[in-house]
Amino acid sequence: MQMAIFATETKLTFLDIDQVFGNIFELIETGEGYIRKNIKWPVNFKSGGMERVEIPEIPLEAIREAIINSLIHRDFKNPKSNEVSIYKDRVEIFNPGEFPEGYKPEDFIKGEGSIPRNPLIANTLYLSKDIEKWGSGFRRITEVCSKAHIKVKFEIRKNGFMVIFYRKTDEELLDLTGENKNNSANDTENGTQIDTEKLILNLLEKTPDITQKELSEKTNISLRTVKRIIQQLKEKDIIERIGSDRKGYWKMNNGVK
């Protein structure tokens, strides 16, 4: 399996590239793990409390299903590898091998029976409970992505087949955390401001030396919004900065709620 992260929307420049070998189970775990590490995980608070909830921008169940499907249906006589390609706007999972003649992906989404290229591998993964039943992968991917409001596309290529997950924009990810950079400073009607303050306070308490830029990166909240919230917390005497911006730390005062 070949895996790579690309700097642009094409394969001209990559930020990371790797090639791994192994059995089916190892490739499933490696491919899924590579994507897990390189997608964004917006942070939210459960039910308005202080419990952190990290939400993957693409459902992990759909990612794993797509990788398993790519291995079950690949043409092992084809020297080309399975591929995992990560771009800023999408994640692609490719396998070499022609799609069953006379069929379209929509046929299997609607419940058409499976036609596995490698039935022994499919049966092995069924017995190991990595798949529930043959022929339901496309449908499960579609259902999971629909619930998560993720666009997914199944594409037949000349030399293989590809599943494409379209990634959320930063603004859409901000919505997952309950914070949007366009919200006003006084917008507390739906708890957005309060939840954002809790998120930032939680990180400040755990990592007092964190910078405002790092806060922005960890929470997927715009730097401008982070600075605004920090300033408000300082004015309320909830926090104060001890030392310089580069080498100082955040002190939590008695005003913390």
Side-chain angles (χ1 to χ4, degrees):
M1 179 179 290
Q2 291 184 329
M3 305 176 295
I5 304 171
F6 295 96
T8 64
E9 294 185 2
T10 65
K11 293 186 175 182
L12 296 178
T13 307
F14 59 84
L15 302 175
D16 182 72
I17 191 167
D18 195 9
Q19 185 177 44
V20 294
F21 300 87
N23 61 47
I24 294 295
F25 299 104
E26 291 169 340
L27 292 180
I28 292 171
E29 297 302 323
T30 301
E32 180 186 3
Y34 191 80
I35 297 176
R36 285 172 65 106
K37 290 191 301 182
N38 293 293
I39 59 175
K40 296 178 180 178
W41 290 70
V43 178
N44 201 348
F45 282 99
K46 191 173 182 179
S47 302
M50 292 298 292
E51 181 181 348
R52 287 166 57 90
V53 179
E54 296 182 344
I55 307 169
E57 59 175 311
I58 302 171
L60 299 183
E61 181 182 347
I63 291 171
R64 185 177 182 85
E65 194 70 45
I67 292 174
I68 290 174
N69 184 80
S70 74
L71 292 167
I72 289 177
H73 295 284
R74 73 151 291 164
D75 180 0
F76 283 92
K77 294 181 181 179
N78 191 321
K80 189 173 179 61
S81 300
N82 283 64
E83 296 177 358
V84 170
S85 303
I86 301 177
Y87 302 86
K88 290 183 177 181
D89 64 337
R90 67 193 187 278
V91 173
E92 298 178 346
I93 299 174
F94 168 86
N95 67 271
E98 295 180 358
F99 203 74
E101 186 176 353
Y103 288 88
K104 298 181 294 183
E106 291 78 10
D107 297 326
F108 298 100
I109 294 174
K110 295 176 182 178
E112 186 71 39
S114 176
I115 308 177
R117 185 187 304 274
N118 304 289
L120 290 178
I121 293 176
N123 190 52
T124 299
L125 292 173
Y126 172 74
L127 293 175
S128 66
K129 298 184 179 180
D130 284 283
I131 60 174
E132 293 182 9
K133 60 181 180 178
W134 295 4
S136 61
F138 283 8
R139 186 167 67 253
R140 286 201 298 274
I141 291 172
T142 302
E143 291 174 353
V144 170
C145 288
S146 177
K147 290 180 182 178
H149 305 290
I150 296 295
K151 180 182 176 183
V152 59
K153 182 179 180 181
F154 303 101
E155 191 170 287
I156 300 173
R157 297 289 181 91
K158 289 183 179 180
N159 60 344
F161 183 77
M162 183 177 290
V163 179
I164 306 172
F165 297 103
Y166 290 91
R167 306 179 68 180
K168 290 182 178 294
T169 64
D170 286 343
E171 184 173 323
E172 290 169 332
L173 290 174
L174 291 177
D175 290 337
L176 287 179
T177 67
E179 169 66 16
N180 190 293
K181 63 184 178 181
N182 294 322
N183 288 341
S184 68
N186 298 318
D187 182 14
T188 60
E189 188 173 319
N190 61 2
T192 295
Q193 178 79 8
I194 296 174
D195 288 346
T196 305
E197 286 185 0
K198 287 181 179 179
L199 173 59
I200 290 176
L201 283 171
N202 184 61
L203 290 173
L204 291 178
E205 186 173 15
K206 290 183 177 180
T207 51
D209 59 344
I210 193 170
T211 66
Q212 295 186 55
K213 182 179 179 182
E214 289 171 337
L215 278 172
S216 175
E217 293 172 349
K218 284 182 176 294
T219 60
N220 284 313
I221 298 173
S222 68
L223 181 58
R224 183 173 61 180
T225 299
V226 167
K227 288 182 177 180
R228 170 171 58 78
I229 297 296
I230 289 291
Q231 182 61 35
Q232 291 174 354
L233 293 173
K234 290 167 67 177
E235 292 173 356
K236 295 175 184 178
D237 197 31
I238 294 177
I239 63 172
E240 64 177 297
R241 183 71 178 179
I242 306 297
S244 66
D245 289 341
R246 294 184 61 185
K247 297 183 179 181
Y249 65 94
W250 297 101
K251 177 184 176 184
M252 314 297 288
N253 292 327
N254 294 330
V256 178
K257 301 295 184 181

mmCIF file of all heavy atoms in Angstrom, residues 1-6 11 16-18 27 30-32 34-35 38 63 67 70 81-87 91-95:
data_model
loop_
_atom_site.group_PDB
_atom_site.id
_atom_site.type_symbol
_atom_site.label_atom_id
_atom_site.label_comp_id
_atom_site.label_asym_id
_atom_site.label_seq_id
_atom_site.Cartn_x
_atom_site.Cartn_y
_atom_site.Cartn_z
ATOM 1 N N MET A 1 0.842 -1.188 0.000
ATOM 2 C CA MET A 1 0.000 0.000 0.000
ATOM 3 C C MET A 1 0.880 1.241 0.000
ATOM 4 O O MET A 1 1.811 1.350 0.793
ATOM 5 C CB MET A 1 -0.923 -0.005 1.230
ATOM 6 C CG MET A 1 -1.831 1.215 1.325
ATOM 7 S SD MET A 1 -2.918 1.157 2.793
ATOM 8 C CE MET A 1 -4.025 -0.171 2.306
ATOM 9 N N GLN A 2 0.585 2.155 -0.900
ATOM 10 C CA GLN A 2 1.285 3.434 -0.939
ATOM 11 C C GLN A 2 0.415 4.497 -0.284
ATOM 12 O O GLN A 2 -0.797 4.532 -0.507
ATOM 13 C CB GLN A 2 1.597 3.836 -2.383
ATOM 14 C CG GLN A 2 2.649 2.961 -3.052
ATOM 15 C CD GLN A 2 3.000 3.459 -4.445
ATOM 16 O OE1 GLN A 2 2.169 4.034 -5.138
ATOM 17 N NE2 GLN A 2 4.244 3.228 -4.853
ATOM 18 N N MET A 3 1.045 5.363 0.510
ATOM 19 C CA MET A 3 0.305 6.398 1.228
ATOM 20 C C MET A 3 1.060 7.713 1.104
ATOM 21 O O MET A 3 2.290 7.727 1.170
ATOM 22 C CB MET A 3 0.163 6.020 2.707
ATOM 23 C CG MET A 3 -0.463 4.652 2.932
ATOM 24 S SD MET A 3 -0.514 4.178 4.684
ATOM 25 C CE MET A 3 1.254 4.050 5.024
ATOM 26 N N ALA A 4 0.315 8.792 0.927
ATOM 27 C CA ALA A 4 0.983 10.088 0.760
ATOM 28 C C ALA A 4 0.061 11.235 1.146
ATOM 29 O O ALA A 4 -1.166 11.120 1.088
ATOM 30 C CB ALA A 4 1.456 10.267 -0.682
ATOM 31 N N ILE A 5 0.687 12.337 1.557
ATOM 32 C CA ILE A 5 -0.010 13.594 1.805
ATOM 33 C C ILE A 5 0.506 14.592 0.789
ATOM 34 O O ILE A 5 1.717 14.788 0.669
ATOM 35 C CB ILE A 5 0.261 14.114 3.226
ATOM 36 C CG1 ILE A 5 -0.124 13.065 4.264
ATOM 37 C CG2 ILE A 5 -0.498 15.420 3.476
ATOM 38 C CD1 ILE A 5 0.314 13.431 5.671
ATOM 39 N N PHE A 6 -0.404 15.206 0.039
ATOM 40 C CA PHE A 6 -0.008 16.118 -1.027
ATOM 41 C C PHE A 6 -0.239 17.570 -0.633
ATOM 42 O O PHE A 6 -1.220 17.904 0.032
ATOM 43 C CB PHE A 6 -0.761 15.775 -2.311
ATOM 44 C CG PHE A 6 -0.407 14.414 -2.847
ATOM 45 C CD1 PHE A 6 -1.200 13.311 -2.559
ATOM 46 C CD2 PHE A 6 0.733 14.223 -3.601
ATOM 47 C CE1 PHE A 6 -0.869 12.047 -3.028
ATOM 48 C CE2 PHE A 6 1.085 12.964 -4.075
ATOM 49 C CZ PHE A 6 0.279 11.877 -3.787
ATOM 50 N N LYS A 11 -0.891 15.710 -7.629
ATOM 51 C CA LYS A 11 0.164 14.870 -7.068
ATOM 52 C C LYS A 11 1.568 15.373 -7.428
ATOM 53 O O LYS A 11 2.521 14.607 -7.436
ATOM 54 C CB LYS A 11 -0.014 13.433 -7.549
ATOM 55 C CG LYS A 11 -1.260 12.756 -6.999
ATOM 56 C CD LYS A 11 -1.328 11.286 -7.375
ATOM 57 C CE LYS A 11 -2.522 10.616 -6.714
ATOM 58 N NZ LYS A 11 -2.604 9.173 -7.015
ATOM 59 N N ASP A 16 4.444 14.150 2.591
ATOM 60 C CA ASP A 16 4.866 12.897 3.208
ATOM 61 C C ASP A 16 4.515 11.757 2.254
ATOM 62 O O ASP A 16 3.501 11.818 1.548
ATOM 63 C CB ASP A 16 4.150 12.688 4.545
ATOM 64 C CG ASP A 16 4.595 11.406 5.238
ATOM 65 O OD1 ASP A 16 5.736 11.373 5.727
ATOM 66 O OD2 ASP A 16 3.807 10.439 5.280
ATOM 67 N N ILE A 17 5.344 10.724 2.224
ATOM 68 C CA ILE A 17 5.068 9.575 1.367
ATOM 69 C C ILE A 17 5.644 8.324 2.023
ATOM 70 O O ILE A 17 6.686 8.369 2.674
ATOM 71 C CB ILE A 17 5.661 9.777 -0.047
ATOM 72 C CG1 ILE A 17 5.135 8.702 -1.006
ATOM 73 C CG2 ILE A 17 7.174 9.811 -0.016
ATOM 74 C CD1 ILE A 17 5.414 9.005 -2.472
ATOM 75 N N ASP A 18 4.928 7.211 1.880
ATOM 76 C CA ASP A 18 5.367 5.971 2.502
ATOM 77 C C ASP A 18 4.815 4.792 1.697
ATOM 78 O O ASP A 18 3.796 4.914 1.005
ATOM 79 C CB ASP A 18 4.876 5.898 3.949
ATOM 80 C CG ASP A 18 5.590 4.816 4.749
ATOM 81 O OD1 ASP A 18 6.578 4.245 4.243
ATOM 82 O OD2 ASP A 18 5.168 4.555 5.882
ATOM 83 N N LEU A 27 -2.371 -4.277 6.620
ATOM 84 C CA LEU A 27 -2.608 -3.161 5.698
ATOM 85 C C LEU A 27 -3.858 -2.375 6.084
ATOM 86 O O LEU A 27 -3.896 -1.145 5.936
ATOM 87 C CB LEU A 27 -2.731 -3.684 4.264
ATOM 88 C CG LEU A 27 -1.449 -4.263 3.653
ATOM 89 C CD1 LEU A 27 -1.709 -4.753 2.233
ATOM 90 C CD2 LEU A 27 -0.325 -3.225 3.648
ATOM 91 N N THR A 30 -2.787 -0.242 9.074
ATOM 92 C CA THR A 30 -1.830 0.792 8.675
ATOM 93 C C THR A 30 -2.510 1.901 7.881
ATOM 94 O O THR A 30 -2.280 3.094 8.126
ATOM 95 C CB THR A 30 -0.695 0.184 7.844
ATOM 96 O OG1 THR A 30 -0.029 -0.824 8.607
ATOM 97 C CG2 THR A 30 0.321 1.256 7.445
ATOM 98 N N GLY A 31 -3.346 1.523 6.918
ATOM 99 C CA GLY A 31 -4.038 2.517 6.105
ATOM 100 C C GLY A 31 -4.981 3.377 6.923
ATOM 101 O O GLY A 31 -5.012 4.606 6.784
ATOM 102 N N GLU A 32 -5.757 2.730 7.798
ATOM 103 C CA GLU A 32 -6.675 3.483 8.649
ATOM 104 C C GLU A 32 -5.903 4.402 9.596
ATOM 105 O O GLU A 32 -6.264 5.566 9.778
ATOM 106 C CB GLU A 32 -7.543 2.521 9.462
ATOM 107 C CG GLU A 32 -8.532 3.232 10.376
ATOM 108 C CD GLU A 32 -9.289 2.286 11.283
ATOM 109 O OE1 GLU A 32 -9.009 1.066 11.250
ATOM 110 O OE2 GLU A 32 -10.161 2.765 12.033
ATOM 111 N N TYR A 34 -2.966 5.747 9.194
ATOM 112 C CA TYR A 34 -2.347 6.861 8.466
ATOM 113 C C TYR A 34 -3.348 7.998 8.268
ATOM 114 O O TYR A 34 -3.018 9.178 8.439
ATOM 115 C CB TYR A 34 -1.843 6.357 7.113
ATOM 116 C CG TYR A 34 -0.956 7.337 6.381
ATOM 117 C CD1 TYR A 34 0.387 7.468 6.711
ATOM 118 C CD2 TYR A 34 -1.461 8.120 5.345
ATOM 119 C CE1 TYR A 34 1.212 8.358 6.030
ATOM 120 C CE2 TYR A 34 -0.643 9.010 4.656
ATOM 121 C CZ TYR A 34 0.680 9.127 5.009
ATOM 122 O OH TYR A 34 1.485 10.012 4.332
ATOM 123 N N ILE A 35 -4.574 7.631 7.910
ATOM 124 C CA ILE A 35 -5.599 8.658 7.714
ATOM 125 C C ILE A 35 -5.990 9.281 9.048
ATOM 126 O O ILE A 35 -6.146 10.510 9.150
ATOM 127 C CB ILE A 35 -6.834 8.063 7.010
ATOM 128 C CG1 ILE A 35 -6.457 7.576 5.608
ATOM 129 C CG2 ILE A 35 -7.952 9.109 6.915
ATOM 130 C CD1 ILE A 35 -7.580 6.878 4.869
ATOM 131 N N ASN A 38 -3.719 12.010 10.091
ATOM 132 C CA ASN A 38 -3.527 13.144 9.190
ATOM 133 C C ASN A 38 -4.807 13.844 8.764
ATOM 134 O O ASN A 38 -4.810 14.609 7.798
ATOM 135 C CB ASN A 38 -2.748 12.673 7.954
ATOM 136 C CG ASN A 38 -1.325 12.270 8.298
ATOM 137 O OD1 ASN A 38 -0.509 13.101 8.682
ATOM 138 N ND2 ASN A 38 -1.023 10.984 8.177
ATOM 139 N N ILE A 63 -14.047 5.255 6.746
ATOM 140 C CA ILE A 63 -12.658 5.113 6.288
ATOM 141 C C ILE A 63 -12.243 3.656 6.309
ATOM 142 O O ILE A 63 -11.693 3.129 5.331
ATOM 143 C CB ILE A 63 -11.715 5.949 7.177
ATOM 144 C CG1 ILE A 63 -11.949 7.442 6.947
ATOM 145 C CG2 ILE A 63 -10.253 5.594 6.898
ATOM 146 C CD1 ILE A 63 -11.220 8.329 7.919
ATOM 147 N N ILE A 67 -11.220 1.131 3.097
ATOM 148 C CA ILE A 67 -9.930 0.451 2.987
ATOM 149 C C ILE A 67 -10.127 -1.053 2.838
ATOM 150 O O ILE A 67 -9.488 -1.704 1.997
ATOM 151 C CB ILE A 67 -9.044 0.776 4.202
ATOM 152 C CG1 ILE A 67 -8.631 2.246 4.173
ATOM 153 C CG2 ILE A 67 -7.808 -0.126 4.226
ATOM 154 C CD1 ILE A 67 -7.877 2.698 5.396
ATOM 155 N N SER A 70 -11.308 -1.824 -0.582
ATOM 156 C CA SER A 70 -10.266 -1.680 -1.601
ATOM 157 C C SER A 70 -9.359 -2.907 -1.652
ATOM 158 O O SER A 70 -8.825 -3.248 -2.712
ATOM 159 C CB SER A 70 -9.437 -0.421 -1.342
ATOM 160 O OG SER A 70 -8.564 -0.591 -0.242
ATOM 161 N N SER A 81 -0.039 -0.664 -6.679
ATOM 162 C CA SER A 81 -0.401 -0.811 -5.266
ATOM 163 C C SER A 81 -1.769 -0.205 -4.968
ATOM 164 O O SER A 81 -2.278 0.631 -5.719
ATOM 165 C CB SER A 81 0.641 -0.118 -4.375
ATOM 166 O OG SER A 81 1.917 -0.670 -4.552
ATOM 167 N N ASN A 82 -2.347 -0.624 -3.848
ATOM 168 C CA ASN A 82 -3.450 0.138 -3.270
ATOM 169 C C ASN A 82 -2.875 1.480 -2.832
ATOM 170 O O ASN A 82 -1.708 1.568 -2.444
ATOM 171 C CB ASN A 82 -4.037 -0.584 -2.072
ATOM 172 C CG ASN A 82 -4.926 -1.740 -2.470
ATOM 173 O OD1 ASN A 82 -4.464 -2.711 -3.075
ATOM 174 N ND2 ASN A 82 -6.200 -1.648 -2.138
ATOM 175 N N GLU A 83 -3.700 2.529 -2.870
ATOM 176 C CA GLU A 83 -3.196 3.868 -2.558
ATOM 177 C C GLU A 83 -4.116 4.607 -1.597
ATOM 178 O O GLU A 83 -5.347 4.525 -1.716
ATOM 179 C CB GLU A 83 -3.045 4.690 -3.840
ATOM 180 C CG GLU A 83 -2.016 4.139 -4.821
ATOM 181 C CD GLU A 83 -1.947 4.948 -6.111
ATOM 182 O OE1 GLU A 83 -2.735 5.916 -6.248
ATOM 183 O OE2 GLU A 83 -1.115 4.616 -6.970
ATOM 184 N N VAL A 84 -3.505 5.326 -0.678
ATOM 185 C CA VAL A 84 -4.203 6.267 0.191
ATOM 186 C C VAL A 84 -3.595 7.633 -0.081
ATOM 187 O O VAL A 84 -2.394 7.837 0.144
ATOM 188 C CB VAL A 84 -4.041 5.898 1.675
ATOM 189 C CG1 VAL A 84 -4.575 7.025 2.560
ATOM 190 C CG2 VAL A 84 -4.762 4.594 1.988
ATOM 191 N N SER A 85 -4.391 8.556 -0.593
ATOM 192 C CA SER A 85 -3.905 9.892 -0.947
ATOM 193 C C SER A 85 -4.687 10.940 -0.168
ATOM 194 O O SER A 85 -5.917 10.976 -0.226
ATOM 195 C CB SER A 85 -4.061 10.146 -2.453
ATOM 196 O OG SER A 85 -3.377 9.146 -3.198
ATOM 197 N N ILE A 86 -3.959 11.780 0.553
ATOM 198 C CA ILE A 86 -4.593 12.811 1.375
ATOM 199 C C ILE A 86 -4.266 14.190 0.806
ATOM 200 O O ILE A 86 -3.101 14.559 0.660
ATOM 201 C CB ILE A 86 -4.123 12.711 2.833
ATOM 202 C CG1 ILE A 86 -4.472 11.324 3.404
ATOM 203 C CG2 ILE A 86 -4.750 13.819 3.676
ATOM 204 C CD1 ILE A 86 -3.985 11.106 4.820
ATOM 205 N N TYR A 87 -5.325 14.919 0.460
ATOM 206 C CA TYR A 87 -5.189 16.288 -0.053
ATOM 207 C C TYR A 87 -5.865 17.246 0.934
ATOM 208 O O TYR A 87 -6.555 16.823 1.869
ATOM 209 C CB TYR A 87 -5.862 16.424 -1.416
ATOM 210 C CG TYR A 87 -5.331 15.490 -2.480
ATOM 211 C CD1 TYR A 87 -5.834 14.193 -2.611
ATOM 212 C CD2 TYR A 87 -4.347 15.892 -3.372
ATOM 213 C CE1 TYR A 87 -5.359 13.321 -3.588
ATOM 214 C CE2 TYR A 87 -3.862 15.034 -4.362
ATOM 215 C CZ TYR A 87 -4.380 13.757 -4.455
ATOM 216 O OH TYR A 87 -3.907 12.897 -5.424
ATOM 217 N N VAL A 91 -9.834 13.017 0.661
ATOM 218 C CA VAL A 91 -9.037 11.819 0.922
ATOM 219 C C VAL A 91 -9.479 10.759 -0.083
ATOM 220 O O VAL A 91 -10.673 10.481 -0.214
ATOM 221 C CB VAL A 91 -9.237 11.298 2.360
ATOM 222 C CG1 VAL A 91 -8.538 9.953 2.548
ATOM 223 C CG2 VAL A 91 -8.724 12.306 3.377
ATOM 224 N N GLU A 92 -8.512 10.183 -0.797
ATOM 225 C CA GLU A 92 -8.816 9.187 -1.825
ATOM 226 C C GLU A 92 -8.263 7.827 -1.417
ATOM 227 O O GLU A 92 -7.129 7.713 -0.958
ATOM 228 C CB GLU A 92 -8.215 9.600 -3.167
ATOM 229 C CG GLU A 92 -8.761 10.909 -3.713
ATOM 230 C CD GLU A 92 -8.114 11.308 -5.032
ATOM 231 O OE1 GLU A 92 -7.075 10.715 -5.389
ATOM 232 O OE2 GLU A 92 -8.627 12.233 -5.686
ATOM 233 N N ILE A 93 -9.070 6.782 -1.611
ATOM 234 C CA ILE A 93 -8.645 5.406 -1.372
ATOM 235 C C ILE A 93 -8.842 4.636 -2.671
ATOM 236 O O ILE A 93 -9.968 4.479 -3.145
ATOM 237 C CB ILE A 93 -9.444 4.771 -0.224
ATOM 238 C CG1 ILE A 93 -9.209 5.561 1.075
ATOM 239 C CG2 ILE A 93 -9.062 3.301 -0.039
ATOM 240 C CD1 ILE A 93 -10.067 5.109 2.237
ATOM 241 N N PHE A 94 -7.732 4.175 -3.244
ATOM 242 C CA PHE A 94 -7.756 3.583 -4.592
ATOM 243 C C PHE A 94 -7.313 2.126 -4.549
ATOM 244 O O PHE A 94 -6.426 1.743 -3.777
ATOM 245 C CB PHE A 94 -6.817 4.373 -5.513
ATOM 246 C CG PHE A 94 -6.544 3.708 -6.832
ATOM 247 C CD1 PHE A 94 -7.401 3.883 -7.915
ATOM 248 C CD2 PHE A 94 -5.428 2.885 -6.991
ATOM 249 C CE1 PHE A 94 -7.152 3.256 -9.127
ATOM 250 C CE2 PHE A 94 -5.166 2.263 -8.204
ATOM 251 C CZ PHE A 94 -6.037 2.439 -9.272
ATOM 252 N N ASN A 95 -7.943 1.317 -5.395
ATOM 253 C CA ASN A 95 -7.461 -0.051 -5.599
ATOM 254 C C ASN A 95 -7.424 -0.375 -7.093
ATOM 255 O O ASN A 95 -8.311 0.034 -7.852
ATOM 256 C CB ASN A 95 -8.332 -1.073 -4.868
ATOM 257 C CG ASN A 95 -9.734 -1.178 -5.438
ATOM 258 O OD1 ASN A 95 -10.624 -0.453 -5.017
ATOM 259 N ND2 ASN A 95 -9.956 -2.096 -6.375
#
